[in-house]
Amino acid sequence: MNMPLRTTESISALPAATAQVLAIPAKPVSLLPRLRTIAGNVALRVIPPIIVIACILAVWEVLCSRPGASLPPPSKVLEDTWELIVDPFFDRGGLDKGLFWHMSASLQRVALGYALAAGVGVALGTLVGQSTWAMRGLDPIFQVLRTVPPLAWLPLALAAFRSGQPSAIFVIFITAIWPIIINTAVGIRNIPQDYRNVALVLRLNQFEYFFKIMVPAAAPYIFTGLRIGIGLSWLAIVAAEMLIGGVGIGFFIWDAWNSSRISEIILALIYVGLVGFVLDRIVAAAATIVTRGTAAN
Amino acid sequence: MAAYLKIDFVDKTFVRGSTQTEVLKDITLSVERGEYVSIIGHSGCGKSTLLNIVAGLTPATNGGILLEDREVNEPGPDRAVVFQNHSLLPWLTVYDNVKLAVDKVFSSTKSRAERHAWTMHNLELVQMGHAKDKRPGEISGGMKQRVGLARALSMEPKVLLLDEPFGALDALTRAHLQDSVMAIHQKLGNTVLMITHDVDEAVLLSDRIVMMTNGPAARIGEVLDVPLPRPRKRLELASSAPYLKCRQRVLEFLYERHRFVEAA
């Protein structure tokens, strides 16, 4: 690999020319087997979950179809909630809205609270990671506060904001911020001395150092925090909304329970799970794109 | 005439709690412009510390560093370092790693196009132009070290500091890189200060070899002139009498008079 360029160039010049000629007829032939392997890989990933889900549904159906069963079987759930599934966009005023509107209200709260948590969390984490004094001062407080359950903040937030909406956003914020702070701080503290030396030799100023060395070097850690944070946010929103009321998937579930519409609860739970999964994937995908190359050292 | 780079009565003592460790004692060394000076010694003798002091990364306890008669006590691109473990930023491509240095050092003196051309020029100089879009994780150890060298050269340093740049490489790769460094030194006439623990490497590359005694409180034990004409050819030197004599002198210093003591 370390031969002088002259040698590599003269060698690579020849095969490159011949390879071009060969590649054209080779392409259509190789397309079909490649498609077949892709299809095979997809099947390998898709078939096992389908089988397992089918089994679970079958057991559930059998168990809950007995007379006197307290929970509805899947067939009943589907039947009861068919209207909600096929038309998630209806809006009959008040709280009588389609699931899309409930979901979107919840997602908006999470988006706001989580964005705040991400901004403040990365900033505070950077401070704690950079300054030993700040770490000694703030770390004990963080360690205590992060163990407070999200919902315990809600009464305090309601007292402070006197309104449900900002309180719910605050609960999301306070839930998501701790893993973001702690992971960012660890990431900043773990920046190798080598990178710091490079910055010193180049005389990067604080601003350049932050954006060109610190953020990319700590990015894998920051994203770990962000990913834990989004999961916790989604966990907290359902609980918070059950208490504050209004439009939102949490209150939808609570409302369904109060009117004994068990099938709707089950449908909502499935949606909550799927959305949570998608949120996690989105942050994970963002992490892969942003930290590409950092991990592969 | 005053020396180009002068290491002036440098002492270094590390203090940890109540224990003081004297690492370097009374180091004085002058390096002329365009000279290639190697510092050799057993591991733990403080030669890397000395290089860090020259680079400004570690402050000296006493004494100081003069570069063109001006004291330097903080790091800067006029004393570019090629680090032992390449220290490339893994999230940047080879090109961007060098470009980062070029953009910073020549932000006001070169245009955008000139900075691009200068980056490519330095990559070509170390024969890495072909890998400019690769990331450090995708190239071999020797290639990384070449890029590290290109980054240092691109800063047009007054002194090029090499901290065991070939230490982590296999013998063949190392020989290739040594030849490259020799050719570049021949072409650009850089002033180089290199840390090494390889006797052959020191003799092959250097104009002078500075031999350090063992720590603690390491001093300069001896300075050897290498009177071999340049350009030097690895194969011809292997049997040349002055080369073997220089080699012999360094070996004697390291293995007879200043044997490595494990306890130290």
Side-chain angles (χ1 to χ4, degrees), chain A residues 109-119 172 176 180 226-227 229-230 233 283:
Chain A
R109 291 189 184 109
V110 166
L112 255 170
Y114 179 70
L116 278 172
I172 299 307
I180 299 176
L226 288 176
R227 210 171 151 189
I230 193 76
S233 304
V283 179

Side-chain angles (χ1 to χ4, degrees), chain A residues 87-99:
Chain A
D87 184 12
F89 299 108
F90 71 84
D91 185 352
R92 297 193 200 107
L95 297 179
D96 196 5
K97 292 175 197 289
L99 273 170

Side-chain angles (χ1 to χ4, degrees), chain B residues 208-224:
Chain B
R208 272 193 300 154
I209 300 173
V210 175
M211 290 171 256
M212 306 265 297
T213 65
N214 282 328
R219 289 169 295 102
I220 291 180
E222 205 175 304
V223 178
L224 176 73

Side-chain angles (χ1 to χ4, degrees), chain A residues 1-6 194-195 197-198 200-205 208 212-214 216-217 292-294 296-297, chain B residues 57 75-77 83 85 87-91 100-101 104 127 130 135 137 140 142-143 146 151 155 173 176:
Chain A
M1 290 299 271
N2 289 294
M3 276 186 291
L5 187 62
R6 256 169 280 131
D194 297 339
Y195 301 167
N197 284 345
V198 170
L200 285 169
V201 169
L202 288 175
R203 291 211 180 119
L204 297 182
N205 58 39
E208 290 167 321
K212 293 190 168 158
I213 309 280
M214 205 191 268
R292 187 168 49 105
T294 314
N297 187 9
Chain B
L57 294 168
F83 297 96
N85 46 358
S87 296
L88 298 178
L89 304 175
W91 54 87
L100 177 70
K104 183 61 192 168
Q127 297 151 358
H130 63 98
R135 280 167 200 274
S140 69
M143 291 165 113
R146 280 176 190 274
R151 179 172 65 184
M155 302 178 210
T173 311
H176 274 304

Side-chain angles (χ1 to χ4, degrees), chain A:
Chain A
M1 290 299 271
N2 289 294
M3 276 186 291
L5 187 62
R6 256 169 280 131
T7 335
T8 1
E9 254 187 351
S10 58
I11 292 171
S12 62
L14 272 174
T18 42
Q20 240 173 0
V21 182
L22 280 173
I24 295 161
K27 229 175 191 175
V29 184
S30 68
L31 200 65
L32 200 65
R34 198 191 290 170
L35 269 180
R36 203 171 288 160
T37 43
I38 289 172
N41 284 336
V42 169
L44 277 177
R45 289 181 175 262
V46 170
I47 290 173
I50 288 178
I51 293 173
V52 171
I53 290 170
C55 291
I56 291 172
L57 288 176
V59 172
W60 178 10
E61 182 75 43
V62 170
L63 286 180
C64 293
S65 296
R66 292 172 302 144
S70 52
L71 293 177
S75 56
K76 182 84 173 31
V77 171
L78 201 64
E79 192 190 313
D80 290 349
T81 59
W82 187 247
E83 199 191 337
L84 287 170
I85 296 171
V86 290
D87 184 12
F89 299 108
F90 71 84
D91 185 352
R92 297 193 200 107
L95 297 179
D96 196 5
K97 292 175 197 289
L99 273 170
F100 171 82
W101 302 110
H102 287 287
M103 263 317 167
S104 113
S106 300
L107 280 171
Q108 276 171 28
R109 291 189 184 109
V110 166
L112 255 170
Y114 179 70
L116 278 172
V120 177
V122 170
L124 273 177
T126 308
L127 179 71
V128 172
Q130 269 294 82
S131 142
T132 318
W133 198 92
M135 185 191 73
R136 289 189 185 140
L138 290 170
D139 196 56
I141 302 173
F142 291 165
Q143 296 300 338
V144 171
L145 289 187
R146 77 187 177 93
T147 62
V148 175
L151 277 191
W153 290 100
L154 190 63
L156 194 64
L158 283 169
F161 297 114
R162 295 170 190 281
S163 157
Q165 181 73 359
S167 304
I169 292 167
F170 175 77
V171 168
I172 299 307
F173 167 80
I174 207 78
T175 310
I177 198 168
W178 308 117
I180 299 176
I181 291 177
I182 290 166
N183 281 283
T184 305
V186 170
I188 300 283
R189 229 172 295 156
N190 280 353
I191 295 175
Q193 188 59 42
D194 297 339
Y195 301 167
R196 294 181 195 271
N197 284 345
V198 170
L200 285 169
V201 169
L202 288 175
R203 291 211 180 119
L204 297 182
N205 58 39
Q206 285 294 314
F207 185 74
E208 290 167 321
Y209 178 67
F210 181 75
F211 282 105
K212 293 190 168 158
I213 309 280
M214 205 191 268
V215 170
Y221 292 89
I222 294 175
F223 271 100
T224 307
L226 288 176
R227 210 171 151 189
I228 300 171
I230 193 76
L232 290 181
S233 304
W234 194 238
L235 289 184
I237 189 68
V238 174
E241 282 175 349
M242 283 184 173
L243 294 178
I244 61 157
V247 179
I249 194 68
F251 187 70
F252 176 89
I253 295 173
W254 194 242
D255 192 40
W257 157 243
N258 281 332
S259 17
S260 299
R261 300 193 300 266
I262 309 297
S263 299
E264 288 183 14
I265 297 178
I266 291 169
L267 178 72
L269 288 191
I270 293 168
Y271 279 12
V272 167
L274 290 176
V275 171
F277 173 75
V278 170
L279 288 178
D280 181 66
R281 288 286 114 186
I282 290 172
V283 179
T288 337
I289 294 165
V290 174
T291 63
R292 187 168 49 105
T294 314
N297 187 9

Side-chain angles (χ1 to χ4, degrees), chain B residues 53-69:
Chain B
I53 292 172
V54 177
L57 294 168
T58 308
T61 310
N62 292 310
I65 308 297
L66 295 168
L67 182 58
E68 288 185 315
D69 291 331

